[in-house]
Amino acid sequence: MSASNHAAAFALPATDADGRKNLVGLSRDELEAEMLSVGLEKFRARQLWHWIYHRGATDFAVMTTLAKPVREKLAESYAVARPTVVRDLKSVDGTRKWLLRMPDGQEVESVHIPEEDRGTLCVSSQVGCTLTCRFCHTGTQRLVRNLDASEIVAQVMLARDALGEWPAPPDGRMISNIVMMGMGEPLFNYENVAKALKIVMDGDGISISKRRITLSTSGVVPAMKRCGEELNVNLAVSLHAVTDELRDIIMPINRKYPLKELMDACRNYPGLNNARRITFEYVMLKGVNDSPADARALVKLLEGIPSKINLIPFNPWPGAPYERSTDRAIQVFGDIVNNAGYASPVRTTRGEDIMAACGQLKSASVRLSAADRAAIEKVLAEKDAALAG
């Protein structure tokens, strides 16, 4: 089933069990239209925007700039909803992972990674994933459906709830950066992702700058230019191989959008310059893509593209078909790339003890039986066939 058919078949309910519509995820224009539809003035939308996205309010009763009759009227028809936290895990390194249940029972994961100078929230865009990247745990799941804008924004809002970020923290934000690197391929859910990010970037609300937002794609070439033109956020590209032959195997999307097309799209990404580079993500797989020859080929492949390369030690998960490259192999690889003039930091593995590291996100983390393994292989084969079609 295609992503669009999945979205239609498993669409989020329009209202909650009490018949109330969620205001989270509505654009300013949509919020104004809702106010008019219940006989309220358009300016109420501005007031609600402030309470929902600047103050983090979830109860109309606390919205004291609205008259009591207005608050009561809103409470009859609307909600300001959050996902349900099924599991809240904290790593020894401070990384925090939330397993979130949406109103229809579907689950996704979000991860907060605290650092000395920033705090990054990794946000999901789909339940499951369309793709079958062989090194990624999420890729072993079927795509269930796209998340809508409310569910994407709500991940940010819930994390701010948990970290006490409303309306503004006293000592600097613990969530200063957003990365669309969670479950799913953001550019296969572009409309909802774009709508959500515009809300996150709005200066009268959550107000996270586009310069602090990064969207990661596996290489959905047709949507990359539009993303740059409309959102102008930072772009990260999951590369992981320097030849079509290898990338076809570990990232089957390459069969649809091969490296030449992908590199051309990167060179033409709107706003690209030496001060605003594309980040290429490169997971280090032992004996697969980590040789000095691979490093030299990577340098040649990226020639002319203002780039930064994130070298990512592979994060194992139950049933994974690969092993992590040795520290020595990663160092040699990085030195070659760095000496060619490309920054090539090695990403510090974070949250590995709670399965929150890059490539590990999945709504269940379990040991695989033979039946589980066979089921995964079936899912991968079906997804590969759908992508080829």
Side-chain angles (χ1 to χ4, degrees):
M1 187 182 291
S2 69
S4 60
N5 288 339
H6 270 290
F10 300 101
L12 191 68
T15 60
D16 65 14
D18 297 319
R20 299 177 303 168
K21 185 172 184 177
N22 187 14
L23 294 182
V24 173
L26 298 185
S27 68
R28 286 181 178 271
D29 288 344
E30 289 170 336
L31 200 52
E32 288 182 355
E34 288 295 333
M35 295 304 98
L36 293 175
S37 74
V38 294
L40 295 175
E41 305 89 338
K42 285 173 62 174
F43 76 85
R44 298 297 183 189
R46 293 196 302 275
Q47 293 176 308
L48 283 170
W49 191 274
H50 173 82
W51 280 105
I52 294 171
Y53 296 118
H54 180 71
R55 303 296 296 270
T58 58
D59 186 346
F60 294 108
V62 305
M63 301 182 184
T64 51
T65 56
L66 286 75
K68 186 176 180 181
V70 172
R71 285 179 268 156
E72 291 173 346
K73 188 178 186 69
L74 289 169
E76 291 173 1
S77 301
Y78 299 107
V80 182
R82 299 284 197 270
T84 300
V85 178
V86 177
R87 193 176 301 128
D88 181 350
L89 300 176
K90 191 168 184 179
S91 169
V92 293
D93 62 26
T95 298
R96 195 164 174 182
K97 181 174 78 167
W98 295 278
L99 175 62
L100 306 177
R101 181 170 297 147
M102 300 306 173
D104 63 349
Q106 299 298 336
E107 297 175 350
V108 298
E109 292 181 334
S110 303
V111 176
H112 177 251
I113 305 166
E115 299 178 66
E116 286 188 10
D117 60 340
R118 71 181 67 186
T120 300
L121 184 69
C122 183
V123 175
S124 294
S125 58
Q126 295 180 312
V127 182
C129 187
T130 317
L131 303 176
T132 55
C133 302
R134 294 298 191 254
F135 50 83
C136 180
H137 199 197
T138 314
T140 64
Q141 283 187 301
R142 296 181 189 275
L143 173 68
V144 177
R145 64 171 175 83
N146 289 329
L147 295 179
D148 74 4
S150 72
E151 297 170 305
I152 297 168
V153 174
Q155 292 174 66
V156 181
M157 300 175 78
L158 186 141
R160 295 194 75 188
D161 292 345
L163 297 169
E165 293 259 291
W166 303 107
D171 301 317
R173 289 191 174 192
M174 294 183 71
I175 302 175
S176 60
N177 293 61
I178 301 289
V179 292
M180 296 300 307
M181 294 183 184
M183 296 169 64
E185 165 54 63
L187 293 186
F188 278 149
N189 186 20
Y190 178 78
E191 298 294 343
N192 286 314
V193 168
K195 185 178 180 183
L197 290 183
K198 288 174 183 177
I199 292 172
V200 169
M201 292 186 285
D202 190 287
D204 293 328
I206 297 173
S207 190
I208 295 178
S209 166
K210 63 186 178 184
R211 302 294 181 185
R212 290 184 172 273
I213 297 175
T214 299
L215 183 148
S216 177
T217 179
S218 296
V220 185
V221 168
M224 289 170 61
K225 182 178 180 182
R226 184 182 178 193
C227 174
E229 290 175 342
E230 296 182 1
L231 300 177
N232 199 22
V233 295
N234 300 312
L235 184 70
V237 174
S238 294
L239 187 60
H240 311 305
V242 294
T243 66
D244 283 322
E245 291 75 16
L246 178 57
R247 201 164 187 266
D248 283 352
I249 294 170
I250 66 174
M251 296 187 70
I253 191 174
N254 193 73
R255 301 169 195 167
K256 195 163 190 175
Y257 308 116
L259 281 172
K260 184 181 185 310
E261 292 182 26
L262 178 57
M263 293 301 106
D264 286 347
C266 291
R267 288 186 176 89
N268 294 313
Y269 188 70
L272 182 65
N273 55 53
N274 287 327
R276 194 137 187 260
R277 299 167 292 174
I278 290 177
T279 297
F280 289 93
E281 296 160 331
Y282 196 95
V283 65
M284 302 296 293
L285 304 173
K286 184 177 181 179
V288 176
N289 65 353
D290 62 350
S291 71
D294 289 317
R296 289 188 287 270
L298 176 61
V299 169
K300 185 175 182 179
L301 182 69
L302 301 184
E303 186 175 359
I305 304 176
S307 308
K308 170 186 173 183
I309 297 91
N310 268 350
L311 301 180
I312 307 170
F314 173 64
N315 298 305
W317 39 269
Y322 300 112
E323 297 178 38
R324 179 180 296 183
S325 298
T326 64
D327 290 345
R328 176 60 180 165
I330 295 173
Q331 180 183 344
V332 170
F333 191 104
D335 287 346
I336 292 171
V337 176
N338 192 63
N339 291 338
Y342 295 97
S344 54
V346 178
R347 182 181 294 175
T348 302
T349 297
R350 301 290 299 274
E352 192 171 17
D353 57 317
I354 57 171
M355 293 289 286
C358 181
Q360 290 185 319
L361 297 191
K362 191 175 180 180
S363 53
S365 301
V366 296
R367 292 184 177 275
L368 294 186
S369 66
D372 291 332
R373 198 178 302 275
I376 285 175
E377 290 302 321
K378 182 180 179 183
V379 169
L380 296 178
E382 290 173 353
K383 289 165 73 175
D384 283 352
L387 187 64

